[in-house]
């Protein structure tokens, strides 16, 4: 490693990550020209280019195969390539080209001493390697502003190296671009990212200005991050786009040092940021947290959320970062921030949403897929996030009943669960719908764009999927069905609902009693071969409390993908223990609705009810949960008693035949080994 660049293990991982992200942003939508049959073909992937460069260097530098070294040298070459502009280099022989790059890098050192403070830093590659990289870079469109949708550089150089240490799950470019387009910054706006990483949001703002044909003023771009390696890479990122870097600072955004960072309160027109998030990340010292309103514990008293005098030392970092955004932005200014969905839906964060609604107008909330921050292999996180756009109140902006909030719930964009790029992207349609919303079209009714008035916000929940399905919208059912909530059915004694118990991993394998978990529920059945079995003693301790009977319905209430999945308890399944992530639902027969357990099972599995379950399922940091919102679900019970009996009989026949086939297969497996 050249000069004064030293890395501990964590910083090595960050450096690899952000060099790759830098390459992805700067090189952009790579166009590699090849000729096939006399026709110029365009290959929009830079993956092979970077893989070739990496493999070439690894083979040439024996004993120096660390990717951080290769990327450091590659960044130097790209830095110089930018400074050389469109200079033709293909005809320059190796030694002369190496001399040209070394002389150019000396200019880089002089112009960017904040990036390379050690003036003795040099390009360490040999002439042959420099020539090879130069030839490869000549095949890329260095000035294209579109991002590389394949993410080749990121995939090639990262792998599983970054797994979110310190909660730093870096913002995918499509999400950053979406937030920038929504806030639509002017070139006169002072823009800050108070967790800037390698400058992704600042670069997104520059790209936006250039696409709009604006002459950007870089004096209005500010970035702060407490990681020195990341701020260095942010400077490289901006410098390669021809921007000064003196407003990128290495500092703690929560401990705002005005001598280094300038005034804090009401200083910026726009804040764009993705703060670190995670349940196990330390937000700051007790002294730091005490300076924030949201750094304290809150209690619910007489229906009101009240701040206590006790500092919450376990507060999540994204919470106080949000408050810092409100402090820093000017009155009337905008905040575009990536937040975990749990922060605007989970009951324990109700005080945060209350703070948002008190201090800001909510302009837009866009739910993102769980895979948005997934990279590849085990890299990234499945945490479900939302893009949140706020406008800070001023004397001319009053929180008024009935102002409209744009909402959307993206299903496709980013990566799948294996880190592979998804070709389908809902963000463009969402942005188009937001444009229509801004023109006054408040009647949008797609999950990719709809609006609600702020007085319809319930229980301090801002998650779009809570409002994406309106049960009152389907008026066609009103004449043929009784629309009644599960909560009402419970209060009327028609339904009884309970949850199970956890037994702990040490209990697994201690006996022959099935311990039914969420993964054991499938196709209206409890699987015949549950993964975990517990002892007779544990069953005896819980049997009376759980009170499992034939005809009970088990429904998944917590998890990732199975929430709402149901199974019927048959005569073969009554001797079980079921876990706490399941509801047990029992129907009181001979009720006024003629409702029975089989018809209820069909109702719970219907699209009408499943859509509501999806809308009422919120992220709980680690897993998703339906929680007690089950009682808010409305079920449509037919007014035709004969239809109820007919459907119930069909469900019963389906279950009986399937269960008998299952039990027969079980007996066969046993008898085949009998003598």
């Amino acid at each position: 490693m050249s000069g004064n660049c030293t890395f501990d293990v964590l910083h090595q991982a960050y450096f690899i990550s952000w060099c790759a992200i830098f390459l992805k942003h700067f090189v952009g939508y790579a166009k590699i020209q090849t000729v096939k049959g006399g026709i110029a073909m365009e290959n929009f992937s830079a993956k092979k280019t970077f893989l070739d460069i990496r493999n070439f260097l690894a083979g040439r530098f024996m004993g120096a195969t660390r990717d951080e070294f290769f990327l450091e040298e590659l960044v130097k070459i790209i830095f110089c390539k930018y400074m050389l502009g469109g200079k033709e280099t293909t005809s320059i022989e190796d030694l002369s080209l190496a001399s040209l790059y070394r002389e150019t890098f000396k200019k880089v050192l002089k112009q960017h001493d904040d990036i390379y403070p050690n003036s003795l830093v040099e390009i360490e590659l040999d002439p042959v390697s420099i020539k090879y990289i130069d030839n490869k870079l000549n095949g890329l469109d260095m000035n294209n502003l579109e991002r590389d949708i394949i993410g080749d550089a990121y995939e090639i150089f990262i792998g599983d190296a970054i797994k979110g240490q310190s909660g730093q799950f870096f913002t995918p470019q499509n999400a950053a671009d979406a937030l920038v387009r929504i806030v639509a910054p002017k070139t006169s706006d002072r823009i800050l990212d108070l967790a800037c990483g390698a400058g992704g949001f600042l670069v997104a703002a520059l790209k936006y200005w250039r696409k709009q044909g604006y002459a950007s003023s870089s004096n209005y771009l500010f970035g702060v991050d407490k990681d020195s390696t990341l701020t260095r890479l942010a400077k490289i990122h901006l410098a390669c786009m021809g921007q000064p870097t003196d407003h990128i600072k290495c500092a703690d955004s929560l401990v705002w040092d005005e001598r280094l960072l300038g005034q804090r309160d009401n200083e910026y027109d726009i804040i764009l940021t993705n703060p670190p998030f995670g349940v196990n990340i330390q937000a700051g010292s007790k002294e730091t947290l005490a300076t924030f309103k949201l750094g304290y514990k809150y209690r619910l008293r007489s229906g009101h959320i009240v701040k206590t005098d006790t500092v919450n030392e376990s507060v999540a970092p994204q919470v106080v970062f949000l408050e810092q955004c409100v402090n820093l932005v000017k009155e009337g200014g905008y905040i575009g921030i990536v937040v975990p969905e749990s922060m605007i839906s989970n009951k324990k964060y109700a005080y945060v949403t209350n703070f948002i609604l008190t201090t800001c107008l909510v302009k837009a909330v866009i739910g993102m897929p769980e895979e948005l921050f997934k990279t590849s292999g085990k890299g990234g996180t499945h945490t479900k996030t939302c893009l949140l756009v706020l406008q800070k109140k001023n004397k001319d902006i009053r929180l008024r009943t009935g102002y409209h909030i744009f909402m959307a719930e993206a299903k496709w964009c980013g990566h799948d669960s294996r880190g592979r790029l998804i070709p389908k992207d809902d963000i463009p349609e969402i942005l188009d719908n937001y444009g229509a919303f801004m023109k006054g079209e408040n009647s949008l009714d797609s999950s990719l764009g709809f609006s609600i008035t702020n007085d319809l916000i319930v229980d301090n929940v801002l998650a779009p999927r809570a409002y994406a399905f309106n049960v009152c919208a389907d008026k066609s059912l009103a004449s043929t069905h009784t629309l009644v909530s599960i909560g009402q059915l419970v209060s009327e004694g028609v339904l009884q609902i309970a949850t199970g118990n956890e037994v702990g991993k040490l209990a697994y394998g201690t006996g022959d009693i099935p311990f039914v978990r969420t993964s054991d529920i499938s196709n209206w059945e409890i699987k015949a071969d549950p993964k975990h079995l517990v002892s007779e003693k544990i069953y005896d301790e819980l049997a009376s409390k759980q009170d499992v009977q034939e005809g009970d319905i088990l429904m998944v209430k917590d998890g990732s993908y199975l929430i709402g999945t149901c199974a019927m308890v048959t005569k073969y399944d009554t001797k079980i223990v079921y876990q706490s992530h399941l509801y047990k639902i029992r129907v009181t027969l001979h009720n006024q609705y003629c409702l029975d357990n089989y018809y209820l099972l069909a109702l719970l599995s219907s699209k009408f009810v499943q859509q509501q379950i999806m809308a009422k399922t919120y992220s709980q940091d680690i897993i998703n949960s339906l929680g007690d919102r089950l009682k808010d679900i409305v079920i449509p019970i037919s007014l035709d008693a004969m239809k109820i009996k007919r459907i119930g009989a069909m469900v019963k026949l389906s279950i009986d035949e399937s269960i008998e086939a299952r039990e027969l297969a079980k007996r066969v497996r046993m008898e085949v080994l009998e003598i």
Side-chain angles (χ1 to χ4, degrees):
M1 186 63 64
S2 61
N4 65 344
C5 297
T6 58
F7 297 83
D8 58 24
V9 173
L10 180 57
H11 282 178
Q12 286 178 6
Y14 284 154
F15 184 79
I16 298 170
S17 173
W18 281 107
C19 278
I21 294 173
F22 153 71
L23 291 174
K24 178 168 65 176
H25 286 307
F26 178 59
V27 173
Y29 210 102
K31 297 182 180 179
I32 305 173
Q33 300 291 333
T34 60
V35 177
K36 185 175 181 179
I39 300 175
M41 308 292 291
E42 287 188 341
N43 177 5
F44 289 91
S45 171
K47 179 177 179 180
K48 187 175 186 304
T49 297
F50 295 131
L51 181 60
D52 288 347
I53 290 172
R54 195 271 172 196
N55 290 342
F56 177 86
L57 295 177
R60 189 164 183 81
F61 285 79
M62 300 301 294
T65 58
R66 293 184 303 171
D67 280 348
E68 66 270 18
F69 170 78
F70 299 150
L71 286 170
E72 173 78 355
E73 294 304 302
L74 184 55
V75 166
K76 293 175 185 176
I77 299 298
I78 292 180
F79 218 149
C80 294
K81 191 72 171 175
Y82 174 81
M83 293 195 70
L84 289 170
K87 183 178 178 63
E88 199 280 327
T89 58
T90 55
S91 61
I92 303 176
E93 55 89 21
D94 296 6
L95 291 177
S96 298
L97 184 64
S99 296
L100 175 63
Y101 269 102
R102 297 189 201 285
E103 289 301 314
T104 305
F105 190 66
K106 289 179 181 178
K107 296 177 183 178
V108 170
L109 295 177
K110 290 180 180 179
Q111 294 182 20
H112 301 286
D113 57 358
D114 57 333
I115 299 175
Y116 294 104
N118 187 340
S119 61
L120 300 179
V121 175
E122 297 178 351
I123 294 176
E124 296 191 17
L125 297 178
D126 65 284
V128 173
S129 298
I130 293 173
K131 180 66 174 178
Y132 181 86
I133 294 174
D134 179 76
N135 283 337
K136 286 291 184 180
L137 295 181
N138 283 335
L140 303 178
D141 182 357
M142 303 289 282
N143 297 311
N144 196 305
L145 293 178
E146 298 298 329
R147 66 185 287 265
D148 177 8
I149 61 172
I150 307 300
D152 298 312
Y154 188 84
E155 180 179 348
I156 294 300
F157 291 110
I158 300 304
D160 297 340
I162 298 300
K163 299 179 182 178
Q165 298 98 328
S166 303
Q168 297 183 356
F169 299 108
F170 304 116
T171 315
Q173 194 60 34
N174 52 354
D177 289 342
L179 276 177
V180 170
R181 281 189 57 184
I182 291 173
V183 301
K186 301 183 293 293
T187 54
S188 59
D189 288 331
R190 288 165 57 89
I191 301 175
L192 169 70
D193 184 348
L194 72 168
C196 72
F201 274 113
L202 304 180
V203 170
L206 278 170
K207 287 168 51 181
Y208 173 80
W209 285 333
R210 292 181 180 181
K211 288 180 181 179
Q212 299 298 318
Y214 302 152
S216 62
S217 175
S218 58
N219 289 328
Y220 294 106
L221 295 175
F222 299 79
V224 181
D225 200 288
K226 64 181 181 180
D227 187 285
S228 60
T229 301
L230 296 181
T231 51
R232 174 174 175 266
L233 287 167
K235 291 181 178 184
I236 293 174
H237 207 160
L238 290 175
C240 283
M241 296 188 73
Q243 303 299 311
T245 59
D246 51 320
H247 289 322
I248 307 298
K249 305 292 184 182
C250 182
D252 189 338
S253 297
L254 298 181
V255 184
W256 194 266
D257 184 348
E258 293 191 349
R259 294 170 299 178
L260 176 64
L261 303 175
Q263 295 294 315
R264 185 189 75 162
D265 295 344
N266 303 301
E267 282 295 308
Y268 299 92
D269 299 286
I270 292 174
I271 292 177
L272 295 164
T273 195
N274 174 18
F277 53 82
V279 293
N280 298 316
I281 308 300
Q282 180 65 41
S285 67
K286 184 176 182 180
E287 291 73 23
T288 298
L289 295 175
T291 64
F292 293 93
K293 295 177 183 177
L294 298 181
Y296 288 80
K297 294 182 178 180
Y298 283 73
R299 295 286 183 267
L300 188 64
R301 295 175 184 168
S302 303
H304 297 283
I305 297 173
V306 179
K307 175 177 166 289
T308 71
D309 295 327
T310 304
V311 173
N312 181 6
E313 296 186 56
S314 61
V315 66
Q318 63 268 20
V319 171
V320 284
F321 263 93
L322 174 70
E323 182 178 342
Q324 189 72 310
C325 289
V326 176
N327 293 333
L328 290 160
V329 77
K330 294 177 180 177
E331 293 183 350
Y334 286 86
I335 298 168
I337 184 172
V338 182
V339 298
E341 185 192 75
S342 60
M343 198 179 89
I344 55 173
S345 64
N346 195 323
K347 187 181 297 184
K348 76 175 184 178
Y349 291 124
Y351 70 101
V352 178
T353 306
N354 183 68
F355 172 82
I356 291 171
L357 296 172
T358 302
T359 59
C360 301
L361 295 177
V362 180
K363 306 298 288 185
V365 191
I366 302 173
M368 306 304 287
E370 292 182 3
E371 295 84 5
L372 178 69
F373 284 85
K374 186 68 180 166
T375 53
S376 62
K378 298 179 180 178
T381 176
H382 277 289
T383 300
K384 180 166 172 51
T385 57
C386 291
L387 309 184
L388 182 63
V389 179
L390 309 173
Q391 184 179 22
K392 186 176 177 179
K393 286 174 55 181
N394 62 22
K395 62 182 180 181
D396 297 321
I397 298 175
R398 295 286 183 266
L399 286 177
R400 54 197 182 278
T401 300
Y403 80 85
H404 286 272
I405 301 171
F406 177 82
M407 289 188 170
E409 184 67 36
K411 182 178 181 181
W412 302 106
C413 69
H415 299 78
D416 64 17
S417 60
R418 295 185 179 181
R420 298 171 299 193
L421 195 73
I422 296 172
K424 183 173 173 55
D425 188 355
D426 289 333
I427 290 180
E429 184 173 344
I430 289 173
L431 292 175
D432 288 343
N433 287 333
Y434 180 77
F437 167 78
M438 291 301 292
K439 294 177 182 177
E441 298 179 23
N442 296 321
S443 59
L444 298 166
D445 59 0
S446 165
S447 62
L448 299 182
F450 62 96
S451 67
I452 66 168
T453 52
N454 72 311
D455 56 337
L456 293 179
I457 294 172
V458 178
D459 297 331
N460 289 298
V461 172
L462 286 176
R465 55 178 168 170
Y467 306 97
F469 180 82
N470 185 348
V471 296
C472 297
D474 196 342
K475 302 182 186 300
S476 63
L477 291 173
S479 61
T480 56
H481 293 73
T482 299
L483 298 176
V484 58
S485 71
I486 289 178
Q488 181 179 338
L489 293 175
V490 171
S491 66
E492 293 175 353
V494 177
L495 297 182
Q496 301 172 42
I497 299 177
T499 56
N501 303 89
E502 295 302 322
V503 298
K505 291 184 178 181
L506 293 179
Y508 296 168
T510 57
D512 299 318
I513 309 298
F515 179 59
V516 178
R517 303 161 76 234
T518 59
S519 57
D520 298 317
I521 306 295
S522 178
N523 297 323
W524 289 352
E525 298 178 20
I526 298 172
K527 292 181 180 178
D529 52 349
K531 185 176 181 180
H532 297 298
L533 303 170
V534 298
S535 67
E536 194 84 27
K537 178 182 179 182
I538 292 174
Y539 170 75
D540 290 339
E541 291 173 350
L542 295 173
S544 60
K545 179 181 179 180
Q546 294 205 336
D547 184 29
V548 177
Q549 298 180 17
E550 181 182 356
D552 288 343
I553 296 172
L554 297 182
M555 174 190 278
V556 178
K557 66 183 284 286
D558 304 315
S560 298
Y561 305 104
L562 297 174
I563 295 176
T565 304
C566 298
M568 179 73 73
V569 175
T570 70
K571 61 183 179 181
Y572 300 106
D573 306 315
T574 56
K575 193 171 183 178
I576 61 172
V577 176
Y578 69 98
Q579 74 169 156
S580 62
H581 295 311
L582 298 171
Y583 296 114
K584 184 192 70 178
I585 303 173
R586 181 175 298 166
V587 179
T588 301
L589 301 179
H590 310 299
N591 56 74
Q592 65 266 38
Y593 301 99
C594 299
L595 184 67
D596 65 26
N597 51 340
Y598 294 104
Y599 182 72
L600 177 61
L601 182 61
L603 285 178
L604 293 176
S605 305
S606 69
K607 181 179 179 180
F608 184 84
V609 173
Q610 287 294 311
Q611 284 181 321
Q612 294 179 71
I613 290 173
M614 184 180 298
K616 298 292 184 182
T617 297
Y618 305 150
S619 170
Q620 302 275 38
D621 290 327
I622 299 175
I623 62 173
N624 295 329
S625 177
L626 178 57
D628 57 8
R629 291 176 296 278
L630 171 69
K631 294 181 179 179
D632 298 330
I633 302 296
V634 172
I635 62 174
I637 304 175
S638 177
L639 295 173
D640 185 344
M642 293 303 296
K643 183 177 182 180
I644 292 176
K645 288 184 178 180
R646 179 170 58 82
I647 292 176
M650 291 168 62
V651 173
K652 183 177 186 302
L653 178 62
S654 172
I655 291 175
D656 287 349
E657 290 183 349
S658 179
I659 294 299
E660 290 303 325
R662 183 192 76 182
E663 293 302 312
L664 178 60
K666 185 188 297 185
R667 289 197 298 271
V668 168
R669 289 195 297 270
M670 294 174 62
E671 290 183 14
V672 74
L673 297 178
E674 292 179 358
I675 299 175

